[in-house]
Amino acid sequence: MNLEVFKTIADSNHWGLLLPEIYLVGLALVLLVFEMLFKRQDLLLIVRVAIWGQVLLLGLIALSYIEGFPTGTTEAFSGLLLQTPATEVMRIFFISGSLLVSFLGMTYLKKQDLPRTEFLSITMLVTVGMMILVQSSQFVLFFVALETVTVGFYVLVAYCRRSPFSLEAGLKFLILGALSSAILLFGIVFLYGVAGNPSLPGHVSDSLSFSQLASFIAQNPSNPMVLVGASLVLAGVAFKVGAFPFQIWIPDVYQGAPTPVTAFLAVSSKAAGVFVLMSLVRGPFAALDSFLVPLLSTVAVLTILFGNFTALPQRNVKRLMGLSGIAHAGYLLIGVVASMTVDWAVYAVVFYLITYLLASFGVFGVMIHVAGDDDSDQEVDHYEDLGQRQPFLAGVLTIGLASLAGIPPLGGFIGKLLLFIAAFQAGLYGLLAAAIIGVVLSIYYYFGWIREAVFRVWRSPEGNGSNSQAEAHPISVTRVETVTLGGLTALTIAIGLFPTLVDCLMGL
Amino acid sequence: MDFDSTLLLLAILIPLFGGLTLLGFRNLSTSVVRLVALTGFTVPLLIAVWLYFMFVGAEQVDGYRFFTELDTGLSFFGINLTLGLNGISLPLFFLAGIVGLAAGIQALNSDAGRRQLYLSLLLIMQGGLMGTFASVDIFFFYFFHELALIPTFVMIGIWGGFGRRSAAIEMTIYLTLGAMLSLLGLILLYSASGIDSFNLIAIREYLASQPLSETVQSNIFGLLLFGFGILVSLFPFHSWAPRGYAAAPTAAAMLHAGVLKKFGLYGLVQIAYPLLPQGAEHWGTLLMWLALGNVVIIGLITMAQRDLKQMVGYSSVMHMGYCFLGLVTFDAIGVGGAVILMFGHGLSVALLFLLSTAVFHRTQTYDMKEMGGLATRTPILAGMFVAATFASIGLPGFANFWGEFAIFVSLWNYNPWALVAAATGIIISAIYGLRAVAWIFFGKPSEALEEHWKENKPFELRQGERLSATLLFSGLLIVGFFPRIFSDYVDMDLTPYFSSEPPAVVETASAAELESAEGSQGILVAGSTPIDLSAKGEVAR
């Protein structure tokens, strides 16, 4: 390669496109510096800086859209990055997710008396990884971004060092995560090798780039090496999403991880996985549709059924959220499969993710408040009489769970509706049947939880079993928390009643 | 948007906002709560009455009057808040107004704890109900139904009676299944028509020019039939209904059994049958058998009940069978009869639930065998209850009679044997209805009851109970004597979609039905047959 080539490559390095990511990394580093400079009693300042810094970032991004949301696609860094309207939405999604995780972390870490700075800093770095991940259009960048996310999560999952559950979860996540990365890498290498093979028709020079790979695969759609490679790559991503049969780590890790990290895994990590899966099957693997549609459909059906059936008898709410999250991954997979034939399904998936974010963080926020000293021990029974003890939290929980269950007029219903419409247009009737079974099953555990929280429990007048527990943990909610949780709930309802957001998304 | 269309929107929004106000602001004074609740319950009925009188002269948009359209942000998918009333939805809109007010008065006079929450949920339900029957857009048709359904679960869970926790969950799961199936059917209809609109008028016009293939029609119809069927407690998907109603607080049971349950039938009449005639034909025979199962099997089960509320619950399931039989016949008389029966049954079942609770307050039991002798102590209650039972059996003079009568007439043309089986249902309901009256009001009170009454003298119907009972009762009577106030409009909107039998056939049919129909020849629902209303009234009396 001569100098000219490097020059053209350098010309395409538009760092300005990555300003939000650079800002977040800078903020994460600043927090670490503050930690060194300030004394322990000033630590609240760090939390404030972290949270307001991210709010400011969202504000700045909103300001940059004042002339209109970007509707075109931009390629930069000589094809490493590809920015589309959908990735723009996802970047904002991840920053909001990070902000909410920091917010939940604020409550949680105070309760558990754990160091805060590292938590916030790692959260932001992981978020940057996700933001790069959804924009990447080349396998090396893709893998590096994915590993940034995964390595960050290894630390976060085991963050509560005193809890054996957290350590166990960390170890499990480490081993299985490393395995999945290996599978993913193996698949990438397969594709790299076969696409660069000069004896095959249409071989390409840069076989790691998504666009070139797509052109190669379009000419060799039935090459066994391509099929194996694609399957391995998808398997690696499916692990992050928690799709069947790579879902087995979810309940243990979700239970053991600190609750804010569980929320982070459940929402942002899953969203990143689903979005990446979608850009893979629509990008490089688009030509494999006759192979991928049946494969992914089977996976989706099994994921939905597995998630819902295993969640049915679950009493631990963190495991419940994990297992029902598997079911949600299954519904999202329907959207992924539909997006191969119906273009607007991309936005249906993004919309579903947004409603999922709003509802899930509401529920996790309530969980953090209700949880006792032992974070991994959160049973449905602990929610008895929440309606009397804390009507506000009970309301947030009810709206959040009902939205997850897809009850109109909440946002979750509109999300499911759009996915179903997309699936109808793509002709995926079998998947719809599975989804219906799943939704009906999910009513049992979601409403079972609501029932514990809201409906009166009969108690014999002498019995004082669970009352004492309730009195031992008076739940206090600060004003900031009220505003945030109330805001999430209000948004869930507002999106359900006036889904104008849909129109904006579909217009992109 | 003209004045009357605004009223239609207000009929939905006022109860909704009332409900949200009560939900959002705690610690309002009792009089404010009463005022907000009463406004929320009364305004829809007043609007319904006003719109009824405006109906004839109102401007039509594709068969719908008071038409209005608003964008809520889903126009990408062709979803707009489109409101309007036609002849089929008018009686049901009216029904929702009457039963809503009656249930509201009941709730205001009940002794439920946390009354503000109770009233707010009831108001939200009321808003949803008004919206369901005023929607032209099938998405909002479904949406408002669910909006009305959710408060039911919460109300059963918090204020319900025995076994409420499991009943609430069972009902939630069952009804979600039904709702999901019908949602799938509606989406399939939307995507199969391919015009990217949920607007019923647009779909109707499109399908009129390009009908769907028979397979597609029967698939969609199957989904809608079973989805709606579960919501209407079609045999054998009925098990949620009696349990749920027995556990539900009275006002919720009145609104749900009286109005909300008619959603499924209304959906079949308004959407499924006109749009998918071949699908309807495909499923017709099966539906007939299931409907007969409702009438005969559930009828026999009802006879075996000892618990008053369970009995009313089962009887409401049973009468849904007649409505389905009316639909099966697929002609304007039978379907029109089903609509009138929906109206009549909604009032009578709400009245029965109201009076059952009144009986409970005087006897402290729902076990009918433990009661007795109430007639001498509370004559008005007894009189009302007997009348409600007669209405529910379908005796002339009440709205139910005209519904069942028209259904029987057209059933004769469809399948005489089905008519024989359905007619036994009349006998069955007479047996359990009259036996219940005998057990509760006549004979000697049981010893336990005697004991109870020594300390708490049974009191006559209170003002509030009397008011809401009278409201329901007058609705039954008015339509019982002047069915034409609705039947002409129903007929007007049904005839384009359902084959009308030539009058000659109708006459022979009714002649053959002489014994069960008291020899009256007029088919009121078929507005084509001119009838002298006053003569009709004489016969009915």
Side-chain angles (χ1 to χ4, degrees), chain B residues 48 60 67 102 140 176 190 229 244 247 252 278 305 312 353 357 399 402 415 432 436 457 463 526:
Chain B
Q60 288 196 42
F67 187 85
F140 275 97
T176 309
Y190 159 84
Q278 286 176 318
Q305 298 306 315
V312 177
F353 273 118
T357 311
W402 297 114
N415 186 341
Y432 68 69
K457 256 185 93 59
Q463 208 71 48

Side-chain angles (χ1 to χ4, degrees), chain B residues 306-385:
Chain B
R306 293 283 174 272
D307 182 295
L308 178 55
K309 261 200 165 176
Q310 293 266 4
M311 190 203 83
V312 177
Y314 272 112
S315 84
S316 89
V317 176
M318 173 190 169
H319 285 106
M320 289 300 102
Y322 290 122
C323 293
F324 279 116
L325 283 175
L327 296 187
V328 168
T329 62
F330 206 74
D331 76 346
I333 301 173
V335 179
V339 175
I340 297 293
L341 181 58
M342 277 149 74
F343 181 83
H345 176 263
L347 294 178
S348 68
V349 79
L351 188 56
L352 276 174
F353 273 118
L354 176 76
L355 296 175
S356 307
T357 311
V359 167
F360 175 78
H361 284 309
R362 283 142 189 100
T363 58
Q364 299 302 317
T365 175
Y366 278 121
D367 188 346
M368 291 188 286
K369 287 226 145 175
E370 294 290 313
M371 304 176 190
L374 208 54
T376 51
R377 292 166 174 85
T378 57
I380 298 181
L381 171 60
M384 283 279 187
F385 197 96

